[in-house]
């Protein structure tokens, strides 16, 4: 063999092994360089017994297919880690005597074809020099290898991200779990809810013999980066108390024997003896750039720039596998196969997902190919700017591409929907006035719409039609959240557009995007911890704030006491008083739960007020209303000390019960309640015999009782990861579960922090009245009691999730309120109820 190889493959993961196997089959001179003493180090480091999936299921595995001569390629199908490694070792010609003897042989092992793969172990590459046709590779051991072309298949797992908090180097922290059985009777925290983190948590928690107490932290409330099966298995384990999922929780400090975390309601301490940080990894950028390879952006998580045949900006060097942005094993193996075929034949090979993408683009005009439409979407749509062609392919496989003629409706006002749309060609018109369709606002090519439904699940706020011949892509909620979570450019673009629209909607007054462009440029989005002060009473700062997510509570010091004044829910602004009249802050504004605010510099807002008298008047009206509320408390502080104390205590209690994120909550006045349970009975009669209300459960303070009933949160936890998208908002903001599309996975029940969702059996068909009268069959007339449903339901049919739907579609509104004989049960918007005037009036009554 010549000392100048046709191809040198660096890294023996699935992509590298597939490339080496294909090179061996074609008789190409090659070398496969692996830095360890075994193949596929990433898979090798998977936890013992891990089940490795082969997704996407509809993607052809070229490496494992059959060539024209009938020979098989590198095989792979889902199975245990140990079995897969054994197959790959046999494929690459590793001596069977050197394969782990504890791994049993498998059916068909004798049929595994071994190729003459030239593998060099313990060959860690430290330097690459030269150009296409004659590269020089130097290893850590000092060996020098020459090759005409290089394939980088090194992945990113060698560069795990670290926790961003004090104590990130504590010896309790690891990014690796070898064997769950090595850990017994431990308190363990897993950080990260991607596939790796979930699988580690399940391996440690679901075997009762291990006796571990496992908590897994999720910064958000969904599992956008995880496979559906993994997410379902995790939420099931949480429901069965095998482990605990901590939603919207992030680490703030690691100390001996414990981790301090930030939750929606403040800081908590979790005891632990081990912390597994599965929070992703980064490309080894310095090493790759030293070869002359460029990246798509300066972001630390960016990938190398690649051509359609995986060639980098350094000619002759190709990148495949996770380093190319395609981490799934089947994709990686196909890439290895395709690059070798391109090198061997001189012609690019159509990717294996080409037929799938052809179907995605089939309804678009012009009979154009996949490459054309991928480039149109990537170049024209702002949220796709940071994606490589490979990432675009993966995203489009989970999306719907459509074309609309001028005037065609894309969606209508009050339609359900939590997907996100992007405009690749043309423009759309938004009907802002439901009573006058001629009043429209344009959204042009490159922008997005539908982001409100994506964030909060609310029904579509307006009818949108195509203004011209228009091509759009509709991203499912899961795909959109994954995009935002993995692409900084997409995240920034969505935030920028949603901020602009939130400001336009909030301030109105005939504003245009051009009017607010200066303040958009200077605005920033800030995350605020629960209990963190945004505005301090008496301070002299002059910024304006808009509540983007969460809610704020307003407090004022009166006679040395902090008195609650009001609640500011998402979608409202505060801080205008000090800007308009130049005064010091008259009250403090504090995050009631973990929230996000948009900060707008006061000078820019003043300039806008000067240009727009209508906006100035609206701000003055809001300011006058808030000032009147403050003055009322000042006037009544001497005669109403007891009421003030009661009011503040009641407000604090309601915040503890989730009122800070509620839009509609059921409260019971215990001074009026007689315990008749008419509310529960009415709820059951309205919902197939199953009450979605538990009156006695829940907590009380003073005269108020908060029963177990849905709060219809502004940003619903239950909606975070519903695989069939069965949870949506109604026209009045109520959060509903569609029983027809619910698959009974239980994710929503696990996500809800208030315990308001039940998994109920599907109601069996009730025998007729005649059968009941003659033979005693069934429960008789009226709604069947839940006990009968539970006993007679088909055990082979998955239970469905049920919760309060505010009696949507039933005349008269919520049955629980209508059935209360004393008026004790009320449904309220917390920001309307949490006012000093309201509660002091009730106290005096």
């Amino acid at each position: 063999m010549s000392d100048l190889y046709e191809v040198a493959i660096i890294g023996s993961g699935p992509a590298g092994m597939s490339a080496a196997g294909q090179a061996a089959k074609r008789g190409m001179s090659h070398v496969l360089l692996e830095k360890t003493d075994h193949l596929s180090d990433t898979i090798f480091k998977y936890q013992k017994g891990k089940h490795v999936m082969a997704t996407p299921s509809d993607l052809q595995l070229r490496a494992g297919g059959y060539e024209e001569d009938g020979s098989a390629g590198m095989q792979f199908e889902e199975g245990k880690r140990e079995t897969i490694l054994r197959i790959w070792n046999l494929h690459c010609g590793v001596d069977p005597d050197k394969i782990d003897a504890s791994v049993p042989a498998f059916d068909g092992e004798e049929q595994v074809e071994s190729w003459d793969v030239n593998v060099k172990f313990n060959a860690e590459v430290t330097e690459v020099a030269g150009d296409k046709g004659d590269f020089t590779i130097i290893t850590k051991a000092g060996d020098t290898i020459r090759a005409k072309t290089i394939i980088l298949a090194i992945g990113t797992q060698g560069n795990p991200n670290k926790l961003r908090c004090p104590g990130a180097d504590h010896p309790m922290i690891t990014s690796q779990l070898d064997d769950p059985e090595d850990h017994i009777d431990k308190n363990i925290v897993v950080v990260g809810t991607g596939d790796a983190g979930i699988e580690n948590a399940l391996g440690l928690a679901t075997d009762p013999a291990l006796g571990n107490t496992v908590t897994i932290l999720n910064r958000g409330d969904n599992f956008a980066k995880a496979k559906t099966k993994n997410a379902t298995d995790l939420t099931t384990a949480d429901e069965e108390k095998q482990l605990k999922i901590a939603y919207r929780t992030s680490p703030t400090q690691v100390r001996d024997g414990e981790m301090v975390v930030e939750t929606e309601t403040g800081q908590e301490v979790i005891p632990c003896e081990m912390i597994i940080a599965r929070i992703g990894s980064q490309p080894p950028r310095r090493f790759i750039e030293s070869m002359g390879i460029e990246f798509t952006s300066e972001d630390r998580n960016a990938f190398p720039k690649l051509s359609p045949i995986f060639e980098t900006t350094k000619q002759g060097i190709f990148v495949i596998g996770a380093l190319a942005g395609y981490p799934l094993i089947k994709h990686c193996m196909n890439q290895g196969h395709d690059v070798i075929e391109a090198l061997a034949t001189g012609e690019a090979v159509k990717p294996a997902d080409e037929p799938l993408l052809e179907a995605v683009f089939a309804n678009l005009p012009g009979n154009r190919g996949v490459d054309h439409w991928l480039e149109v979407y990537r170049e024209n749509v702002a949220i796709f700017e940071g994606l490589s062609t490979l990432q675009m392919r993966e995203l489009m496989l989970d999306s719907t591409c459509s074309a609309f003629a001028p005037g065609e409706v894309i969606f209508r006002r009050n339609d359900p929907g939590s997907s996100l749309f992007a405009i690749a060609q043309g423009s759309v018109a938004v009907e802002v006035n439901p009573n006058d369709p001629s009043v429209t606002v344009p959204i042009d090519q490159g922008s997005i719409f539908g982001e409100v439904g994506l964030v909060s699940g609310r029904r579509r706020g307006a009818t949108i039609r195509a203004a011209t011949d228009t091509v759009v892509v509709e991203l499912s909620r899961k795909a959109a959240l994954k995009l935002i979570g993995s692409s900084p450019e997409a995240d920034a673009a969505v935030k920028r557009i949603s901020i602009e629209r939130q400001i336009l909607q909030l301030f109105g007054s005939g504003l245009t995007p051009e009017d607010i462009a200066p303040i958009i440029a200077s605005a920033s989005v800030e995350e605020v911890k629960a209990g963190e002060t945004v505005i301090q009473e008496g301070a002299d700062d002059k910024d304006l704030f808009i509540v983007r997510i969460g809610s704020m509570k307003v407090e004022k010091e009166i006679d040395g006491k902090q008195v609650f004044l009001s609640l500011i829910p998402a979608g409202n602004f505060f801080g205008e008083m000090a800007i308009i009249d130049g005064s010091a802050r008259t009250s403090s504004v504090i995050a009631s739960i973990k929230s996000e605010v948009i900060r707008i510099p006061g000078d820019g807002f003043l300039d806008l007020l000067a240009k727009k008298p209508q906006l100035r008047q609206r701000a003055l009206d809001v300011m006058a209303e808030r000032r009147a509320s403050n003055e009322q408390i000042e006037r009544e502080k001497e005669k109403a000390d007891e009421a003030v104390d009661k009011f503040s205590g009641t407000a604090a209690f309601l915040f503890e019960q989730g009122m800070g994120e509620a839009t509609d909550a059921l409260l019971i006045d215990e001074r009026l309640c007689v315990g008749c349970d008419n509310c529960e009975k009415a709820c059951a009669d309205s919902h197939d015999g199953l009450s979605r209300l538990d009156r006695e459960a829940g907590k009380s303070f003073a005269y108020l009782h908060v029963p177990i009933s849905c709060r219809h949160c502004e940003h619903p936890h239950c909606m975070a990861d519903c695989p069939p998208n069965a949870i949506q908002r109604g026209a009045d903001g109520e959060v509903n579960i569609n029983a027809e599309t619910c698959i009974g996975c239980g994710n929503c029940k696990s996500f809800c922090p208030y315990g308001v969702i039940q998994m109920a059996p599907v109601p069996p068909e009730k025998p007729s009245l005649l059968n009941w009268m003659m033979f005693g069959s069934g429960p008789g007339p009226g709604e069947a009691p839940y006990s009968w449903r539970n006993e007679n339901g088909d055990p082979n049919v998955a239970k469905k999730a049920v919760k309060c739907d505010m009696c949507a579609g039933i005349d008269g509104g919520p049955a629980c309120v209508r059935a209360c004989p004393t008026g004790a049960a009320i449904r309220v918007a917390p920001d309307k109820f949490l006012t000093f005037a309201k509660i002091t009036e009730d106290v005096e009554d």
Side-chain angles (χ1 to χ4, degrees), residues 617-650:
Q617 185 57 52
R618 181 175 178 200
L620 287 171
D621 292 343
V622 172
M623 186 173 74
E625 182 180 337
R626 290 174 175 172
R627 186 160 282 165
S629 176
N630 292 351
E631 290 172 353
Q632 178 191 10
I633 292 182
E634 289 286 354
R635 289 194 304 269
E636 299 191 13
K637 65 182 182 182
E638 293 183 359
K639 66 178 181 179
D641 278 348
E642 181 181 351
V644 168
D645 290 343
K646 183 77 72 175
F647 171 62
S648 293
T650 301

Side-chain angles (χ1 to χ4, degrees), residues 72-84:
M74 184 76 70
Q75 295 177 22
F76 169 63
E77 57 184 31
E78 69 175 65
K80 281 194 174 183
R81 154 196 176 272
E82 291 79 5
T83 301
I84 290 166

